Amino acid sequence: MYSFEFEKPSTIADAVAALGAEDAQALGGGQTLIPTLKQRLAAPSALISLSGIAEMKGVCVNDDGSVSVGGATTHATVASEAAGSYPALAALAGQIGDPAVRNRGTIGGSIANNDPAACYPAGVLGSGATIITNTREIAADDFFEGMFSTALDEGEIITSVRFPVPQAASYQKFLQPASRFALVGVYLARFADGVRVAVTGASEDGVFRWTEAEQALTKEFRPDALMDLRINPANMIGDLHGSKDYRAHLVGVMTKRAVQACV
Amino acid sequence: MPKDSGIGASSKRREDVRFLTGAGNYTDDINVHGQAYVHFLRSDIAHGRIKSIDTSAAETMPGVVKVFTGKDFEGVGGMPCGWEVTDKHGAPMQEPPHPILAQGKVRHVGDPIAAVVADSLEQARDAAEAIELDIEELPAVLDMKAAAQEGATLVHDDLKNNICYDWQLGEADDAKVNEVFANAAHVTTLDLVNNRLVANPMEPRVAVAEYNRGTEDYTLYTTSQNPHVIRLLMCAFVLGLPEHKVRVVAPDVGGGFGTKIFHYAEEAFCTFAAKACGRPVKWTASRSEAFMSDAQGRDHVSTIELALDADNNFIGLRTNTYANLGAYLSTFSSSVPTWLHGTLMAGNYKTPVIQVNVKAMFTNTVPVDAYRGAGRPEATFQLERVVDKAARELGVDPIALRRQNFITQFPYDTPVALTYDTGDYNGTMDKLEVAADLAGFAARRTESEAKGKLRGLGINCYIEACGIAPSNIVGMLGARAGLYDAATVRVNATGSISVMVGAHSHGQGHETAFPQVVADMIGIDESMVEIVHGDTSKIPFGMGTYGSRSLAVCGSAMVKATEKVIEKAKKIAAHLLEASEADIELKDGQFSVAGTDKSVAWGDVTLTAYVPHNYPLEVEPGLEETAFYDPANFTFPAGAYACEVEVDPETGQVTIEKFTAADDFGNIINPMIVDGQVHGGIGQGIGQALLENCAYDENGQLLSASFMDYAMPRADDVPFYEVDHSSQTPCTHNPLGVKGCGEAGAIGSPPAVVNAVLDALNSGGKSVDHIDMPVSPSRVWAAMNS
């Protein structure tokens, strides 16, 4: 990697200030950024670690029953601490990568990166969560703007994510055999006022909501409700690990399995 | 009754203590005072003509010691190929130069263009980025069949075409082969691909070289399976150095799987640069470099035809294979698709007429060479897939069809140049049927169906040829090396023993198994015996470890040397016991006079050898013997494997539910190590069958260039294995009766897995003839829905 300065502030304010430097880059768990640096594919002037900020860590249940996860909270912490309050989210976190990844990688880092095959974007979008930054609140529907692209401004930090807790939810992940990211991952959440279905791994546009499935399942929450629905393969990812058609097919299978897991 | 020491005991691997507690000494652990670091600038295009390389800016960068390009090596030899194959018309193979750094053209992504030596690795990388290249991109030659056409773009401009050789083995008379097929009651044909693999040992390649200005000696530390071979090739063919001035050390090596047999440009570079720079030079491959510079494996495209008579006897076999050699000839690449592949096409069967045709192709890809099994997996895959397809087409039991055609009389001369000395294929299949509980398969299938899964059973038989030999025969076939091995047994004064061996242990457990043999022969504790390997300054000239040869070849040399030691020790014992040498018996570390209670201990005799006060005058002092061993023939391990899979019909996901291996390895020294070797081999075979895929795009860019896209098997991809090694027909021509076990699993498992998947699909009502490896979920789903 190229040389860079390193800072580890202990407050959000200090982190924001440090990120004001030209070409400074926030560092979450580094699970994408560090390999990128090692490949010399990025050359930030400074890395601002967010892992020393206590107020950005941990899982808590809010008065309204929603669950907040600090932006610098590791996957392993979510897997254990959210297991009671939001089991489906905890299960998603517990399936990311391997133990080393789960003990370094953070929710803020994952959704800020918005890898098209990452798990968290599906959990956040499928839950209809709210992304809270140092300056504002952003609805998940407005946050994910396509592969590796989000609504975050330069230097903006995800301080926490607030999840409304659905009546039932399930994340069904079909593994890409090499990376074990999602070849297709479907996060389904059933709320009193409707069903949300978010799909990761499959689309050239990154995580997306499968609205036809949501409508069908809101009307009738059973696997058969999906029987006549097909995803258009045109915008699907086609690569070494699966064709567009295969991914489109898997979206249906994984959504069905998520419904089965919830009934 | 299992033994607790010596031959046949499952002694725990003594080397694992240091490997598992971080006390190993790997090449990257070696740092030489004053060392500089080299970074190779590698081609990022598959094929191009070098118009200019401007290193002037790089040379002035901080910390830079020296920048090298191909021009610096114009007076130096290229990387040699160790096997000259003669084509079917009697002409030698086309053998293009393989420079240390690219000259004139780049021929694959990863081809080294320039090398920067600097005080630190980061400085070397910085400077490499300042090298200005002007390379005219040329069309990449990738598809082997297209590459063979007249007028195809040439990988090497000085060759007449891209075909290294067009080789044939077996029946040379096409008319005779045609007649067999014309008269057949049934012919089964199959087109298949043996997927290209990247070996990916846990430890990437490393080289550290130093040059002593005072003594003019070189030392090269390198990740090698055969340090003497590296020294010979590098000294004699590349750098032109006298061997006695060069020491090559291969310390602990973290996995080889074949890919660390070969002499690589980076090793020769570091040795050359150490003198040119006046500094030790170190290179440690990144994983990315390993993907584009380690020789890769397999990559055959084949058509195989099997002819059967009306009684389902195999009467003829014909194969046509395109074998990818990549951009250059790696050290043993030419031998893999030929003498390690074509010779195995008889398999376990008495097929009377066999014709094997192989076109070996140059393409703009990383060179391909031996990888665990090397040619034998490719042969076994073709043969066992076509046999399985024939059974399905004929509606006969695949085990019965195999048994009906098994070779049962030994020795057996195959139509493809080998003589199998011994074997019992029905006996091994009997063991498999019991160990795999094949009688219970139908019930297990019913259970799977209840879960909505398709269950399949795949059977596979294999024969392999290990310990390639003898040297005079392989020499006639084109080998440019001997294939013997050597061992020196040095008995110390107090009776402990150091055995210097030409074999190299990089995971095989030699440090445990070899002492078991020597200790057993003498009757002393295993801990009294230690193996020394991996350092040309310490060991006799041996050929190293590959092709499951170590115990069969080097172990035999060790036995011979130990026999010499015992013979001499008996002379000394006879003197001490005042008895005739012919009456001396050695048992449990005691020399005794037959029929008396007179005895002298091993340690007393060894001490006498070095403190020869009371000593036979006609005997030399000391107790150290060397033996070289050149086998009379290959060894022929064989086995029968059963794989049971479940296929998820919705997703195409394959899971291996049960895997059973019945192998005949002849005599076994350490059953636990043999189990481990088989487990590892099967794991790699399952990797090939289900997961691993080294793929290039249409421009020759490696698509699976990291573990993000190249799927290595993980623990949860493989089942618990059942292994049965109780079927034993000892090798008839080596002193231990051993055959070799290192590659069997990787040879025997891929066809078993694929046969199982196809059984699952076809028994589930789909009609699918074949799916190319890796049998990934998407490919299974596509096959089910085509």
Side-chain angles (χ1 to χ4, degrees), chain A residues 71-151:
Chain A
T73 310
T74 64
H75 312 325
T77 299
V78 174
S80 60
E81 292 187 10
S85 52
Y86 193 175
L89 185 71
L92 175 151
Q95 292 175 55
I96 298 172
D98 55 28
V101 169
R102 291 195 288 276
N103 281 292
R104 292 293 309 176
T106 65
I107 187 170
S110 174
I111 62 177
N113 187 47
N114 194 16
D115 187 303
C119 298
Y120 259 132
V124 170
L125 185 62
S127 301
T130 302
I131 291 91
I132 297 154
T133 75
N134 56 310
T135 59
R136 57 182 168 150
E137 297 196 354
I138 309 169
D141 285 325
D142 301 325
F143 182 82
F144 298 104
E145 296 185 341
M147 200 181 266
F148 297 111
S149 174
T150 70

Side-chain angles (χ1 to χ4, degrees), chain B residues 166-408:
Chain B
D166 183 358
W167 180 84
Q168 190 175 71
L169 185 67
E171 181 53 60
D173 183 350
D174 290 346
K176 190 172 170 191
V177 180
N178 289 336
E179 190 187 334
V180 169
F181 277 84
N183 293 332
H186 185 85
V187 174
T188 297
T189 303
L190 194 55
D191 293 320
L192 33 73
V193 172
N194 204 288
N195 44 328
R196 184 185 278 238
L197 303 176
V198 182
N200 276 319
M202 198 180 294
E203 176 203 33
R205 290 188 297 117
V206 183
V208 188
E210 59 179 322
Y211 174 72
N212 184 318
R213 196 159 55 84
T215 63
E216 300 181 336
D217 288 333
Y218 295 82
T219 302
L220 169 67
Y221 302 92
T222 186
T223 47
S224 174
Q225 301 176 213
N226 28 244
H228 265 299
V229 174
I230 300 304
R231 187 177 75 163
L232 174 60
L233 293 176
M234 185 172 75
C235 289
F237 301 104
V238 186
L239 300 180
L241 300 172
E243 277 178 273
H244 69 285
K245 302 305 285 180
V246 178
R247 174 186 173 211
V248 175
V249 183
D252 285 333
V253 172
F257 312 112
T259 201
K260 290 176 183 165
I261 297 170
F262 322 121
H263 181 33
Y264 285 97
E266 294 90 350
E267 296 167 318
F269 174 87
C270 288
T271 307
F272 179 89
K275 184 178 182 187
C277 296
R279 296 263 300 266
V281 174
K282 180 169 190 171
W283 172 70
T284 301
S286 67
R287 184 60 65 183
S288 303
E289 275 185 295
F291 269 101
M292 55 182 159
S293 70
D294 288 4
Q296 300 176 346
R298 315 281 194 258
D299 204 349
H300 286 192
V301 174
S302 301
T303 300
I304 184 165
E305 304 159 273
L306 175 66
L308 301 95
D309 69 12
D311 298 321
N312 296 341
N313 296 308
F314 301 166
I315 56 171
L317 186 76
R318 177 166 51 199
T319 77
N320 281 282
T321 289
Y322 287 85
N324 203 336
L325 297 177
Y328 302 100
L329 286 170
S330 175
T331 312
F332 289 110
S333 59
S334 52
S335 67
V336 175
T338 50
W339 298 107
L340 298 177
H341 167 254
T343 49
L344 273 295
M345 287 309 313
N348 307 57
Y349 310 111
K350 53 191 180 210
T351 316
V353 176
I354 299 176
Q355 186 186 70
V356 181
N357 299 286
V358 178
K359 282 194 177 73
M361 304 305 305
F362 292 112
T363 61
N364 291 119
T365 59
V366 172
V368 176
D369 206 324
Y371 165 68
R372 202 169 191 167
R376 291 152 288 175
E378 295 91 315
T380 306
F381 187 70
Q382 285 192 65
L383 181 59
E384 291 294 317
R385 284 289 303 116
V386 82
V387 168
D388 217 63
K389 187 178 178 215
R392 185 165 298 116
E393 288 175 350
L394 294 165
V396 299
D397 175 58
I399 294 178
L401 181 63
R402 287 177 168 88
R403 282 186 183 272
Q404 175 185 342
N405 287 284
F406 275 162
I407 297 159
T408 54

